[in-house]
Amino acid sequence: MRKITVLAFLTLDGVMQAPGAPEEDTSGGFRYGGWTAPYSDEVSGRLMQKLMEPADLLLGRKTFEIFESYWPKHAGHWPGINEVRKYTLSNTLNKSDWQNTAFLTSVTEIENLKNSEGGDLKVWGSSKLVQLLLKHDLVDEFWLNIHPVILGNGKKLFDNDSIPAAFKVMESHVTPSGVVMVNYKRAGEVITGTVGNQEA
């Protein structure tokens, strides 16, 4: 079985839209593209190199289109991005000139991919895809890079359809610019109780 890891740049209020550049994704009238730029530093740069190690990608259509137009021309900043296998969930796209690209059309195909032989899968961005994966309990890990900023509007990582699940922290870092970079791994079911209601 292949592990699915979601990697996301987040604001304090959960926005993940267009972290890299003003023109990256202006859908919905989004005006704050490139909001991660002021928080780059040496520590986050080293950690990002680790997160960008080659792995097969699972992407939503919008993120795929952004990646497809950018990374083939800038592969020096992400070694291996052109060579890894790229799986994209879409009901409108079925071909691409970007090498090693395949298209999926359903949750069942994603489940079959997850249960197949091969390396682990990383999901970058792709808010709607992530929400679909969470709805069907298909996320094994998160790498969340939480930035000290609130934007109010924009595409969010979580919605109200996620399957309840517990996670545990495997690794965490706070960068000099205030970004909290945390790796969460799936840890079974949600456990509830009453705070302070313990026998002496």
Side-chain angles (χ1 to χ4, degrees), residues 71-99:
W71 285 113
K73 303 171 186 176
H74 302 86
H77 299 293
W78 192 346
I81 183 63
N82 289 326
E83 289 73 29
V84 300
R85 193 72 171 164
K86 294 162 280 284
Y87 299 93
T88 300
L89 181 67
S90 175
N91 289 314
T92 57
L93 298 178
N94 55 32
K95 63 180 180 178
S96 171
D97 291 331
W98 196 11
Q99 66 191 78

Side-chain angles (χ1 to χ4, degrees), residues 9 12 19-21 24-25 52 74 76 100-101 108 123 139 167 184 190:
F9 300 93
L12 292 176
E24 184 177 1
D25 181 4
M52 294 170 72
H74 302 86
N100 298 325
T101 294
T108 298
V123 182
V139 175
F167 289 80
Y184 294 98
V190 174

Side-chain angles (χ1 to χ4, degrees), residues 14-156:
V15 174
M16 60 183 295
Q17 186 169 350
E23 70 282 357
E24 184 177 1
D25 181 4
T26 58
S27 60
F30 190 69
R31 299 184 294 114
Y32 297 104
W35 49 268
T36 63
Y39 302 99
S40 297
D41 55 41
E42 184 178 347
V43 173
S44 63
R46 286 200 306 268
L47 290 169
M48 283 304 301
Q49 290 302 310
K50 174 183 176 180
L51 299 184
M52 294 170 72
E53 291 176 354
D56 288 349
L57 302 181
L58 177 59
L59 304 170
R61 179 191 59 81
K62 182 67 176 179
T63 299
F64 173 78
E65 290 178 333
I66 293 170
F67 278 25
E68 180 188 36
S69 66
Y70 182 83
W71 285 113
K73 303 171 186 176
H74 302 86
H77 299 293
W78 192 346
I81 183 63
N82 289 326
E83 289 73 29
V84 300
R85 193 72 171 164
K86 294 162 280 284
Y87 299 93
T88 300
L89 181 67
S90 175
N91 289 314
T92 57
L93 298 178
N94 55 32
K95 63 180 180 178
S96 171
D97 291 331
W98 196 11
Q99 66 191 78
N100 298 325
T101 294
F103 293 94
L104 310 174
T105 60
S106 67
V107 172
T108 298
E109 289 185 304
I110 295 175
E111 291 173 336
N112 291 339
L113 176 64
K114 180 174 171 56
N115 291 321
S116 68
E117 296 293 325
D120 293 336
L121 299 158
K122 290 183 178 180
V123 182
W124 289 87
S126 307
S127 59
K128 294 299 183 184
L129 171 61
V130 172
Q131 291 169 4
L132 184 67
L133 295 174
L134 289 170
K135 182 177 180 179
H136 293 275
D137 198 16
L138 293 172
V139 175
D140 299 293
E141 289 190 10
F142 286 101
W143 260 107
L144 302 183
N145 303 325
I146 305 165
H147 292 66
V149 61
I150 292 174
L151 298 181
N153 295 312
K155 296 177 181 177
K156 301 289 181 72

